Amino acid sequence: MKTAWKELIRRPARFLTAGGALTLIVVLILLLGGLLDGLYLGATRALDAQSAGVFVFSREANDSFFRSRIDATTRGQVAAVPGVDTVTGLSVVQQPIRAAGVKEVLDAAMFAYEAPNERVPAPPATGEAWFDRSFADEGIEAGEPVGFGSSRTEVTVAGFVDGTTFQLQGAVWMDPETWNTVVRDNLPAATLGAGASQVLLVTGDAGVDAGSLASDIDEQVPGVSALTKQDAILGLPGVSDQQSIFVAIITVTFVVAGLVVALFFALLTLERVGLFGVLKAVGTSSRSIAAGLSLQAVLIALGAFLVGGAITLGLAAVIPDAIPLDLEIRRAVITIVGLVVTALIGSAISFRRVVRIDPATAVGGS
Amino acid sequence: MPALTLQDVRKTYGSGDTEVVALDHASLDVAGDEMVALVGPSGSGKTTLLSIAGGLLAPTEGTVRVGPHEISGYGRKQLTRFRREFVGFVFQGANLVPFLTAKENLLVVGDLAGNTGRSAEQRALTLLEELGLAHRVDNLPGQLSGGERQRVAIGRALMNEPELVLFDEPTSALDSKLGEQVMELIRDEVKGRGTAAVVVTHDTRMTHYADRVVEISDGRLAA
């Protein structure tokens, strides 16, 4: 192992090509992962912020927020299911908004909600709303009136909240009365009756599993479809498709990384057959040489991650804000673990060759 | 007890009509402090004999004993351990690890045998000093002359205090004068330590340094 380490330190040029290729792959994986996370979080943060573990839709809505309607009677039935603690309503429509100091029309996901969640405090006074902080970045200010929809129904900015986006739009949070006023003015067909909402957010009693509670609601309340929060998020249009496509691309990229390591280490092993023959002749075991190869592969992968990570951070700083790139620590951890595992597997391809090197080749051929 | 005993050793490659006999019923005893020169033309079986004596090759038939160790029946892992602890090799052209310094080339074999720490470092430095390389301990092989590289290789072979040291054409890459110096050094080192040595060479000018010269031809040792 010490010998392998010293070779890496004293002969870095030998490993430069493999390290360079892996660095580019790291940049690719981190950027793809960042885009996936940016798209996913941009589409789902507002729902992820909800404390409730179960979302209830009307059955004919096929798990779509915009099609779902739940009336007061059904809400009562859901609340009566054993294991249910609290039930609140949630509704959303997308509306263009205009503010005095902002030239462009902005798109907003306008939520009606009843109780505070992990990122949004309790609903403000009627006629006011909490705005996602992305609107503050666009120039909207607290206390100013904002016009919603073509009718420009005015709602006052009560303040800003962090990390609540929905379908890549900033969210606006208001009580059901204000929400219905805006909807009645701009989208009359979407107006909800008294006590009605698009979906129900259900919190179970302590210790009740969200999955089994959703099943119980499904079985006991006619005309509804209950999903866990995660299933409801994945049911948003495009979310699971995006995830599948990006995960497939990232997986293929990891496979390419493995092939790069395997190819370079196969070549490096061929180059070093003579050296390994001598080491084996003086008593180095094949296992020890293989461990040295693995160490080199892992260190190259770690080096590539550090350099690739720095390059990605640099690129993220210059990429326009309009591109939903979100570099998450979790993604970095997945990348580094995946890369190390891939490097180990790739270097293991050369183990058979190492085992087959005959130590007798170290001695001349008379 | 002899340091090396080969008894009726055969080594063949292939079988039937394509069988090639590399070593044919070879028997040889090398005493504990004896230096034997093994001479013969190319293809005579010198290297095969050396490889079998050092546990690099297994014989097809016969018995090989190094000190108390009968290695004829050893498996691959046992042979690796045996080479690590009981035999020293000096290869043709030195064959040092190119990215390790002279001292590290000695320490790497010490490390393999479990000789680590300050005592191993001290032994490596002492050996290099005895070999006239005190000023070269931190030089890489590429910074050393051919003779210096061969001296480092001798130090490496002696690092684990082996019972037997095997030299494969140690002077073939050196000019006559340097070859004489290296052979003299080999003789002094093995005699000074009471270590047995087998030196394969086809340079008959170097054989007078040995206690005994054994000739090999077509895989057979001369009586």
Side-chain angles (χ1 to χ4, degrees), chain B residues 97-162:
Chain B
V97 181
F99 48 83
L100 297 181
T101 63
K103 183 177 73 179
E104 289 167 346
N105 263 286
L106 270 63
L107 288 175
V108 75
V109 291
D111 198 31
L112 289 171
N115 302 326
T116 54
R118 193 170 288 275
S119 63
E121 177 142 348
Q122 192 51 53
R123 174 161 175 75
L125 290 173
T126 305
L127 273 169
L128 289 171
E129 196 177 333
E130 285 174 15
L131 293 162
L133 293 168
H135 62 300
R136 295 296 215 177
V137 292
D138 292 324
N139 284 113
L140 293 170
Q143 298 165 320
L144 304 175
S145 68
E148 287 173 330
R149 280 200 288 271
Q150 203 59 296
R151 279 188 274 162
V152 175
I154 292 167
R156 179 174 67 180
L158 296 170
M159 181 66 190
N160 290 337
E161 299 182 65

Side-chain angles (χ1 to χ4, degrees), chain B residues 10 27 49 54 59 66 69 71 89 93 118 141 145 163 170 173 192 213 220:
Chain B
R10 281 190 94 225
S27 294
L49 189 147
V66 176
H69 314 284
I71 64 171
F89 287 98
R118 193 170 288 275
S145 68
E163 297 171 24
V213 177
R220 292 193 196 91

Side-chain angles (χ1 to χ4, degrees), chain B residues 63-82:
Chain B
T63 307
V64 182
R65 187 175 284 114
V66 176
H69 314 284
E70 201 206 304
I71 64 171
S72 325
Y74 278 12
R76 185 185 287 182
K77 283 184 181 172
Q78 286 172 300
L79 284 174
T80 301
R81 191 183 307 153
F82 163 76

Side-chain angles (χ1 to χ4, degrees), chain A residues 2-3 6-7 10-11 14 275 278-285 287 355 358-360 362-366, chain B residues 43 46-47 50-51 56-57 76 80 83-84 89 91-92 95 97-101 104 108-109 111-112 156 168:
Chain A
K2 275 186 210 165
T3 309
K6 281 179 178 157
E7 184 181 23
R10 294 181 184 165
R11 295 278 169 98
R14 171 169 270 172
L275 171 65
V278 171
L279 288 174
K280 287 176 97 169
V282 298
T284 309
S285 63
R287 178 185 292 199
V355 170
D358 185 354
V363 183
S366 60
Chain B
K46 303 190 296 291
T47 297
L50 197 76
S51 300
L56 292 169
L57 279 179
R76 185 185 287 182
T80 301
R83 291 196 300 271
R84 189 187 300 160
F89 287 98
F91 305 106
Q92 203 170 339
N95 267 344
V97 181
F99 48 83
L100 297 181
T101 63
E104 289 167 346
V108 75
V109 291
D111 198 31
L112 289 171
R156 179 174 67 180
D168 179 31

Side-chain angles (χ1 to χ4, degrees), chain B residues 151 176-186 206 209:
Chain B
R151 279 188 274 162
S176 303
K177 191 178 168 195
L178 213 49
E180 296 269 356
Q181 286 174 6
V182 166
M183 284 302 290
E184 202 173 319
L185 190 66
I186 290 171
M206 303 297 170
Y209 290 99

Side-chain angles (χ1 to χ4, degrees), chain A residues 125-195:
Chain A
T126 302
E128 293 185 356
W130 302 114
F131 280 63
D132 186 74
R133 196 166 302 282
S134 56
F135 293 111
D137 298 338
E138 297 287 348
I140 291 178
E141 293 175 1
E144 77 169 310
V146 172
F148 278 73
S150 52
S151 301
R152 306 200 179 187
T153 311
E154 285 196 350
V155 175
T156 304
V157 180
F160 295 98
V161 292
D162 291 308
T164 63
T165 47
F166 181 74
Q167 303 288 41
L168 300 178
Q169 294 169 355
V172 178
W173 302 86
M174 57 190 72
D175 69 349
E177 189 182 337
T178 309
W179 189 88
N180 260 325
T181 303
V182 176
V183 170
R184 197 176 297 118
D185 289 350
N186 297 283
L187 294 166
T191 309
L192 298 168

Side-chain angles (χ1 to χ4, degrees), chain A residues 183-327:
Chain A
V183 170
R184 197 176 297 118
D185 289 350
N186 297 283
L187 294 166
T191 309
L192 298 168
S197 60
Q198 288 176 346
V199 300
L200 296 176
L201 305 179
V202 178
T203 308
D205 288 331
V208 174
D209 171 64
S212 57
L213 184 59
S215 300
D216 290 349
I217 294 169
D218 256 347
E219 282 173 17
Q220 295 176 34
V221 181
V224 300
S225 168
L227 301 175
T228 62
K229 181 166 85 173
Q230 190 57 29
D231 286 343
I233 286 172
L234 290 175
L236 288 172
V239 169
S240 63
D241 294 334
Q242 271 171 12
Q243 278 211 311
S244 304
I245 291 166
F246 272 89
V247 167
I249 295 172
I250 290 169
T251 305
V252 168
T253 313
F254 271 121
V255 172
V256 172
L259 290 174
V260 166
V261 174
L263 179 66
F264 278 102
F265 270 82
L267 292 173
L268 286 173
T269 303
L270 275 180
E271 263 182 36
R272 296 181 287 181
V273 164
L275 171 65
F276 292 158
V278 171
L279 288 174
K280 287 176 97 169
V282 298
T284 309
S285 63
S286 296
R287 178 185 292 199
S288 180
I289 294 173
L293 288 184
S294 297
L295 175 75
Q296 289 175 338
V298 168
L299 290 175
I300 290 168
L302 291 175
F305 177 80
L306 289 177
V307 178
I311 292 171
T312 307
L313 287 175
L315 287 173
V318 297
I319 285 176
D321 289 342
I323 296 174
L325 182 71
D326 211 320
L327 299 175

